[in-house]
Amino acid sequence: MVRRIFLMALLAMALVFTGAQDNRAEAYAQYVGTYSDGTDAYLLTESISIRSRHPYTFDCTVQYSGGGYLYYSFYPVNGSPYYRNSEGYSAYVYGGDSPVAASIYRFVVNNY
């Protein structure tokens, strides 16, 4: 009887400790494609700042191979997702001009 009570108490404590764990996702660099010049691009997930989910409006930072950074803003224009980056490029996300921008947008919409 004492053994059962002890095991039940141990199980309850284990459930309390596992339930109290922090379940936030780790920050990491998510590969989002390759620019036309052959440079790989990585979305820094900790940089994603969502301003609205309906429609998706957010800012983020992309690190490219070589150590540089680009800053992106995504927002709706005429009901479709649009982006602008810190190099001055801007276009509709799904217009075909930037597969990297489309990959960033899809990743954020599917994961945040």
Side-chain angles (χ1 to χ4, degrees):
M1 177 78 158
V2 173
R3 186 173 178 186
R4 278 190 180 165
I5 293 172
F6 176 74
L7 287 175
M8 295 281 282
L10 190 61
L11 178 61
M13 286 177 39
L15 289 173
V16 168
F17 285 120
T18 58
Q21 289 179 355
D22 187 3
N23 290 325
R24 286 182 286 163
E26 290 285 325
Y28 61 97
Q30 170 68 38
Y31 175 76
V32 288
T34 303
Y35 291 112
S36 59
D37 67 356
T39 305
D40 289 335
Y42 298 88
L43 171 62
L44 303 177
T45 60
E46 72 272 13
S47 74
I48 297 168
S49 174
I50 296 178
R51 292 182 272 148
S52 171
R53 282 181 170 58
H54 304 288
Y56 266 89
T57 305
F58 64 94
D59 301 312
C60 62
T61 302
V62 170
Q63 183 175 22
Y64 53 87
S65 50
Y69 296 92
L70 286 174
Y71 306 99
Y72 281 80
S73 289
F74 291 83
Y75 48 91
V77 170
N78 296 323
S80 295
Y82 196 81
Y83 79 92
R84 178 175 305 280
N85 72 23
S86 57
E87 284 191 344
Y89 293 102
S90 61
Y92 285 100
V93 170
Y94 296 117
D97 293 334
S98 177
V100 170
S103 182
I104 294 166
Y105 189 82
R106 268 192 307 274
F107 178 82
V108 171
V109 168
N110 290 331
N111 294 286
Y112 287 86

